Amino acid sequence: MISDGKFGKYGGIYVPELLIPALEELEKAFLKYKDDKEFNAELEYYLREFAGRPTPLYYAENLSEKLGCKIYLKREDLLHTGAHKINNTLGQGLLAKYMGKERLIAETGAGQHGIATATVASLFKMPADIYMGSVDVARQKLNVFRMEISGAKVIPVESGAKTLKDAMNEAMRDWITNVENTHYLLGSTAGPHPYPTMVKHFQTVIGKETKKDILEKEGELPDAVIACVGGGSNSLGIFSEFIDDKEVELVGAEGGGDGLEGKHGATLSAGTEGVLHGSLSFVLQDDYGQISEAHSISAGLDYPGVGPEHSYLKVTGRAKYGPITDEEAFRAFKMLSKYEGIIPALESSHAVAMAEKYAKENPGKTIVVNLSGRGDKDVNIIADFMGVKL
Amino acid sequence: MNIESYDAAFERTKTKKEGAFIPFVVAGDPDFETSLQIVKVFVENGADALEIGFPFSDPVADGPTVQLADIRALESGMTAEKGFEFIRRIREFTDIPVGVLTYYNLIYKMGLEKFYKMARENGANAILAADLPPEEACEALEAAQKNGVQQIFMAAQTTSNERLQEITKMCSGFLYVVAVMGTTGARAELKTTTVDLIKRIKSHSDIPISVGFGISKPKHVREVINAGADGAIVASAILNIITENLENKEEMLQKVGKFCAELKEATKS
Ligand SMILES: Cc1ncc(COP(=O)(O)O)c(C=O)c1O
């Protein structure tokens, strides 16, 4: 490896020996193409013409008035396939193509990353196998169907808690078996090096556009940038451009589930250090190092790990993280739908709820919220939550 | 008790013109006492060394068979501390080398110093963490050396000669050679590339090597030993017998014993 992939002490390459050459090959290709003119021109082309970039930074008038702050929404929900995940799958899909890989595999929780992978597999004419916990297959039927229509194979995972973490184990096992022709298109800033760095790189487009737009609209930097944190990709994508601007507060909203005393997915708020899926980071685990099952109303935040760079931002104090409960996310979902006519993904609803809290404590400030995805996929869950039969 | 070293064990088998037979079981699968009886059966039927798994909730290097064994062991309450107690109990009836096979989070969570100290105090010869490559092993090696415990690493077909040199420098006890491109699990046939890999490693280093992953028949054992391996590690094929006979422990132990005797016999040709 050229770099050790560490953020402070977090990160690294805690993987079986069989995968090391594949990670080395991937790191080498990433370092070669990330500054390659032709590669970047092609990626920009697809981001613009296929995915619909740039996305607006929308001044949410009604919400701003209600919350007594200036609230801007970074509209990643308007992207093709409905979430920021496509930024990363286009980047990695193209990289896989440049590397001469013939097959894509991915893990998915909510199905958003699975869909974004299936979409890119169609675009670049590669077969894709998507691992998805059988619990998630059952609660995200619509997305399973969408992946299958795009020609991907969805493989239900029956091991462990049958959710995202287990899907990731199974994708890694597939990769261990098929490293030679397969690219593992990991969906977040988690996993072994170079994934945390590479996925962040492909998501920084969010932060770059946001910074340019907010300076144009406000003439100054925002007071706070707020995003939800599952594995950490949409949040790092938008945080990254502001990390050096110390006056900008960076706030991450985690899946608080039933609250920190109950079941939750708030890894940074309530976890401890450990090694999961190839990196040292905060994890939810018991006293003996067995990984716990997470819970969140949002499948994308239902993960007992978190990307290592977030652990670093947490312990250095550069970013702050807090839990948002299922109930709070649900209320924020309804609030944004009602006040702005924008139905957010349940994941993104956590960021909206965090913005509401922040606004209460800091009236009059300018806040950017990363609206990582749209909520169409979640209306069934919301209806269930409300006791409405569709 | 005078614990036999890996070097001595490989020397012992070599003088007899045999390979070492190294069976694997997960501590606590299906429960503490039964797995201890399984280890006894291993020893009675010719095991030259032992691999003891400490179960982890997310074993990415393992196929379905070991995953199931891990789940059974976790459900029976197995932890790293109890795993060391398990090894202490093994030491009541055998002094052949015992290696622990686990994942790094169990070590990290307990604390490296404590983990390796417990390893030494309870009679483990070596530790292997399936997700700890040499790049991340600095602290573990330090703790291992300080406590006189050996650290085992893996090599695979994808491992370059250059990397092999780095690995063999850090590795002690034996080098664990991964026979397949894939996770653990019984296989019908051994790949010819495995034989090439064994020969490649032997031409680079004189560290003893044991081959595991997919070794599931006496025939496989014979093939890897004939290719120059010092030992053969058999896991999933044994765990399959456990899985299939959970309802009848007598029969389970009897079948495991018979299978082990056949595997040991295959190291002799
Ligand atoms: C819309 C949306 N937002 C956020 C996430 C969480 O992932 P990350 O933290 O990597 O952005 C997901 C994951 O599925 C998602 O679909």
PDB file of all heavy atoms in Angstrom, chain B residues 10 12-20 48 225 229-230 264 267-269:
ATOM      1  N   PHE B  10       6.780 -30.205  14.513  1.00  0.00           N
ATOM      2  CA  PHE B  10       7.084 -30.471  13.102  1.00  0.00           C
ATOM      3  C   PHE B  10       8.319 -31.365  12.973  1.00  0.00           C
ATOM      4  O   PHE B  10       8.418 -32.186  12.070  1.00  0.00           O
ATOM      5  CB  PHE B  10       7.261 -29.166  12.316  1.00  0.00           C
ATOM      6  CG  PHE B  10       5.975 -28.400  12.118  1.00  0.00           C
ATOM      7  CD1 PHE B  10       5.831 -27.097  12.597  1.00  0.00           C
ATOM      8  CD2 PHE B  10       4.893 -28.988  11.458  1.00  0.00           C
ATOM      9  CE1 PHE B  10       4.651 -26.398  12.422  1.00  0.00           C
ATOM     10  CE2 PHE B  10       3.702 -28.291  11.274  1.00  0.00           C
ATOM     11  CZ  PHE B  10       3.582 -26.990  11.763  1.00  0.00           C
ATOM     12  N   ARG B  12       9.132 -33.649  15.203  1.00  0.00           N
ATOM     13  CA  ARG B  12       8.634 -34.978  15.603  1.00  0.00           C
ATOM     14  C   ARG B  12       7.965 -35.684  14.418  1.00  0.00           C
ATOM     15  O   ARG B  12       8.246 -36.842  14.135  1.00  0.00           O
ATOM     16  CB  ARG B  12       7.638 -34.799  16.767  1.00  0.00           C
ATOM     17  CG  ARG B  12       6.685 -35.956  17.001  1.00  0.00           C
ATOM     18  CD  ARG B  12       5.927 -35.822  18.329  1.00  0.00           C
ATOM     19  NE  ARG B  12       5.105 -34.615  18.456  1.00  0.00           N
ATOM     20  CZ  ARG B  12       3.908 -34.458  17.875  1.00  0.00           C
ATOM     21  NH1 ARG B  12       3.401 -35.403  17.119  1.00  0.00           N
ATOM     22  NH2 ARG B  12       3.215 -33.342  18.054  1.00  0.00           N
ATOM     23  N   THR B  13       7.086 -34.958  13.706  1.00  0.00           N
ATOM     24  CA  THR B  13       6.405 -35.621  12.590  1.00  0.00           C
ATOM     25  C   THR B  13       7.367 -35.905  11.445  1.00  0.00           C
ATOM     26  O   THR B  13       7.276 -36.932  10.787  1.00  0.00           O
ATOM     27  CB  THR B  13       5.224 -34.769  12.078  1.00  0.00           C
ATOM     28  OG1 THR B  13       5.672 -33.435  11.843  1.00  0.00           O
ATOM     29  CG2 THR B  13       4.089 -34.745  13.070  1.00  0.00           C
ATOM     30  N   LYS B  14       8.303 -34.973  11.246  1.00  0.00           N
ATOM     31  CA  LYS B  14       9.246 -35.148  10.140  1.00  0.00           C
ATOM     32  C   LYS B  14      10.103 -36.395  10.336  1.00  0.00           C
ATOM     33  O   LYS B  14      10.304 -37.166   9.395  1.00  0.00           O
ATOM     34  CB  LYS B  14      10.142 -33.908  10.050  1.00  0.00           C
ATOM     35  CG  LYS B  14      10.563 -33.606   8.608  1.00  0.00           C
ATOM     36  CD  LYS B  14      11.608 -32.526   8.554  1.00  0.00           C
ATOM     37  CE  LYS B  14      11.140 -31.259   7.859  1.00  0.00           C
ATOM     38  NZ  LYS B  14      11.950 -30.102   8.237  1.00  0.00           N
ATOM     39  N   THR B  15      10.575 -36.605  11.584  1.00  0.00           N
ATOM     40  CA  THR B  15      11.403 -37.795  11.822  1.00  0.00           C
ATOM     41  C   THR B  15      10.625 -39.072  11.542  1.00  0.00           C
ATOM     42  O   THR B  15      11.196 -40.080  11.154  1.00  0.00           O
ATOM     43  CB  THR B  15      11.915 -37.856  13.285  1.00  0.00           C
ATOM     44  OG1 THR B  15      11.312 -36.809  14.018  1.00  0.00           O
ATOM     45  CG2 THR B  15      13.406 -37.745  13.386  1.00  0.00           C
ATOM     46  N   LYS B  16       9.308 -38.988  11.771  1.00  0.00           N
ATOM     47  CA  LYS B  16       8.497 -40.178  11.477  1.00  0.00           C
ATOM     48  C   LYS B  16       8.087 -40.228  10.007  1.00  0.00           C
ATOM     49  O   LYS B  16       7.280 -41.055   9.610  1.00  0.00           O
ATOM     50  CB  LYS B  16       7.248 -40.180  12.377  1.00  0.00           C
ATOM     51  CG  LYS B  16       7.585 -40.476  13.829  1.00  0.00           C
ATOM     52  CD  LYS B  16       6.363 -40.910  14.623  1.00  0.00           C
ATOM     53  CE  LYS B  16       5.615 -39.699  15.170  1.00  0.00           C
ATOM     54  NZ  LYS B  16       4.445 -40.016  15.984  1.00  0.00           N
ATOM     55  N   LYS B  17       8.595 -39.295   9.231  1.00  0.00           N
ATOM     56  CA  LYS B  17       8.237 -39.181   7.807  1.00  0.00           C
ATOM     57  C   LYS B  17       6.732 -38.980   7.606  1.00  0.00           C
ATOM     58  O   LYS B  17       6.110 -39.574   6.729  1.00  0.00           O
ATOM     59  CB  LYS B  17       8.725 -40.410   7.021  1.00  0.00           C
ATOM     60  CG  LYS B  17      10.240 -40.586   7.037  1.00  0.00           C
ATOM     61  CD  LYS B  17      10.706 -41.240   5.759  1.00  0.00           C
ATOM     62  CE  LYS B  17      12.206 -41.198   5.520  1.00  0.00           C
ATOM     63  NZ  LYS B  17      13.078 -40.677   6.568  1.00  0.00           N
ATOM     64  N   GLU B  18       6.184 -38.117   8.468  1.00  0.00           N
ATOM     65  CA  GLU B  18       4.758 -37.795   8.367  1.00  0.00           C
ATOM     66  C   GLU B  18       4.584 -36.284   8.239  1.00  0.00           C
ATOM     67  O   GLU B  18       5.521 -35.538   8.488  1.00  0.00           O
ATOM     68  CB  GLU B  18       4.019 -38.214   9.649  1.00  0.00           C
ATOM     69  CG  GLU B  18       4.086 -39.675   9.963  1.00  0.00           C
ATOM     70  CD  GLU B  18       3.512 -39.986  11.344  1.00  0.00           C
ATOM     71  OE1 GLU B  18       2.925 -39.072  12.001  1.00  0.00           O
ATOM     72  OE2 GLU B  18       3.661 -41.120  11.774  1.00  0.00           O
ATOM     73  N   GLY B  19       3.381 -35.896   7.875  1.00  0.00           N
ATOM     74  CA  GLY B  19       3.022 -34.491   7.996  1.00  0.00           C
ATOM     75  C   GLY B  19       2.249 -34.317   9.287  1.00  0.00           C
ATOM     76  O   GLY B  19       1.816 -35.295   9.895  1.00  0.00           O
ATOM     77  N   ALA B  20       2.096 -33.067   9.720  1.00  0.00           N
ATOM     78  CA  ALA B  20       1.327 -32.812  10.940  1.00  0.00           C
ATOM     79  C   ALA B  20      -0.155 -32.674  10.594  1.00  0.00           C
ATOM     80  O   ALA B  20      -0.512 -31.976   9.651  1.00  0.00           O
ATOM     81  CB  ALA B  20       1.830 -31.543  11.627  1.00  0.00           C
ATOM     82  N   ASP B  48      -1.605 -33.671  15.726  1.00  0.00           N
ATOM     83  CA  ASP B  48      -0.232 -33.291  16.066  1.00  0.00           C
ATOM     84  C   ASP B  48      -0.171 -31.885  16.643  1.00  0.00           C
ATOM     85  O   ASP B  48       0.812 -31.496  17.272  1.00  0.00           O
ATOM     86  CB  ASP B  48       0.646 -33.374  14.823  1.00  0.00           C
ATOM     87  CG  ASP B  48       0.743 -34.798  14.308  1.00  0.00           C
ATOM     88  OD1 ASP B  48       1.230 -35.664  15.058  1.00  0.00           O
ATOM     89  OD2 ASP B  48       0.313 -35.042  13.164  1.00  0.00           O
ATOM     90  N   ILE B 225       0.667 -32.571   1.764  1.00  0.00           N
ATOM     91  CA  ILE B 225       1.874 -33.060   2.443  1.00  0.00           C
ATOM     92  C   ILE B 225       2.906 -33.503   1.394  1.00  0.00           C
ATOM     93  O   ILE B 225       4.095 -33.166   1.487  1.00  0.00           O
ATOM     94  CB  ILE B 225       1.556 -34.226   3.408  1.00  0.00           C
ATOM     95  CG1 ILE B 225       0.567 -33.785   4.496  1.00  0.00           C
ATOM     96  CG2 ILE B 225       2.839 -34.789   4.043  1.00  0.00           C
ATOM     97  CD1 ILE B 225       1.046 -32.717   5.449  1.00  0.00           C
ATOM     98  N   ALA B 229       4.162 -29.468   2.178  1.00  0.00           N
ATOM     99  CA  ALA B 229       3.659 -28.782   3.373  1.00  0.00           C
ATOM    100  C   ALA B 229       4.043 -29.576   4.617  1.00  0.00           C
ATOM    101  O   ALA B 229       4.147 -30.810   4.565  1.00  0.00           O
ATOM    102  CB  ALA B 229       2.151 -28.610   3.295  1.00  0.00           C
ATOM    103  N   ASP B 230       4.238 -28.866   5.731  1.00  0.00           N
ATOM    104  CA  ASP B 230       4.587 -29.536   6.981  1.00  0.00           C
ATOM    105  C   ASP B 230       3.345 -30.000   7.734  1.00  0.00           C
ATOM    106  O   ASP B 230       3.403 -30.932   8.519  1.00  0.00           O
ATOM    107  CB  ASP B 230       5.405 -28.586   7.865  1.00  0.00           C
ATOM    108  CG  ASP B 230       6.667 -28.134   7.155  1.00  0.00           C
ATOM    109  OD1 ASP B 230       7.682 -28.840   7.260  1.00  0.00           O
ATOM    110  OD2 ASP B 230       6.626 -27.096   6.450  1.00  0.00           O
ATOM    111  N   LYS B 264      -5.331 -38.371   9.761  1.00  0.00           N
ATOM    112  CA  LYS B 264      -3.966 -38.550  10.280  1.00  0.00           C
ATOM    113  C   LYS B 264      -3.221 -39.597   9.445  1.00  0.00           C
ATOM    114  O   LYS B 264      -2.064 -39.400   9.067  1.00  0.00           O
ATOM    115  CB  LYS B 264      -4.002 -38.959  11.754  1.00  0.00           C
ATOM    116  CG  LYS B 264      -2.634 -39.269  12.364  1.00  0.00           C
ATOM    117  CD  LYS B 264      -1.666 -38.092  12.251  1.00  0.00           C
ATOM    118  CE  LYS B 264      -0.223 -38.543  12.162  1.00  0.00           C
ATOM    119  NZ  LYS B 264       0.709 -37.440  11.862  1.00  0.00           N
ATOM    120  N   THR B 267      -1.509 -38.434   6.405  1.00  0.00           N
ATOM    121  CA  THR B 267      -0.272 -37.639   6.506  1.00  0.00           C
ATOM    122  C   THR B 267       0.964 -38.531   6.426  1.00  0.00           C
ATOM    123  O   THR B 267       2.088 -38.046   6.390  1.00  0.00           O
ATOM    124  CB  THR B 267      -0.181 -36.861   7.842  1.00  0.00           C
ATOM    125  OG1 THR B 267      -0.057 -37.807   8.916  1.00  0.00           O
ATOM    126  CG2 THR B 267      -1.391 -35.981   8.071  1.00  0.00           C
ATOM    127  N   LYS B 268       0.735 -39.846   6.432  1.00  0.00           N
ATOM    128  CA  LYS B 268       1.867 -40.767   6.565  1.00  0.00           C
ATOM    129  C   LYS B 268       2.412 -41.280   5.243  1.00  0.00           C
ATOM    130  O   LYS B 268       3.437 -41.915   5.218  1.00  0.00           O
ATOM    131  CB  LYS B 268       1.457 -41.965   7.430  1.00  0.00           C
ATOM    132  CG  LYS B 268       1.140 -41.572   8.868  1.00  0.00           C
ATOM    133  CD  LYS B 268       0.709 -42.770   9.687  1.00  0.00           C
ATOM    134  CE  LYS B 268       0.391 -42.343  11.123  1.00  0.00           C
ATOM    135  NZ  LYS B 268      -0.242 -43.417  11.884  1.00  0.00           N
ATOM    136  N   SER B 269       1.677 -41.073   4.167  1.00  0.00           N
ATOM    137  CA  SER B 269       2.125 -41.690   2.925  1.00  0.00           C
ATOM    138  C   SER B 269       3.144 -40.827   2.202  1.00  0.00           C
ATOM    139  O   SER B 269       3.094 -39.624   2.240  1.00  0.00           O
ATOM    140  CB  SER B 269       0.932 -41.929   2.021  1.00  0.00           C
ATOM    141  OG  SER B 269       0.109 -40.790   2.034  1.00  0.00           O
TER     142      SER B 269
END
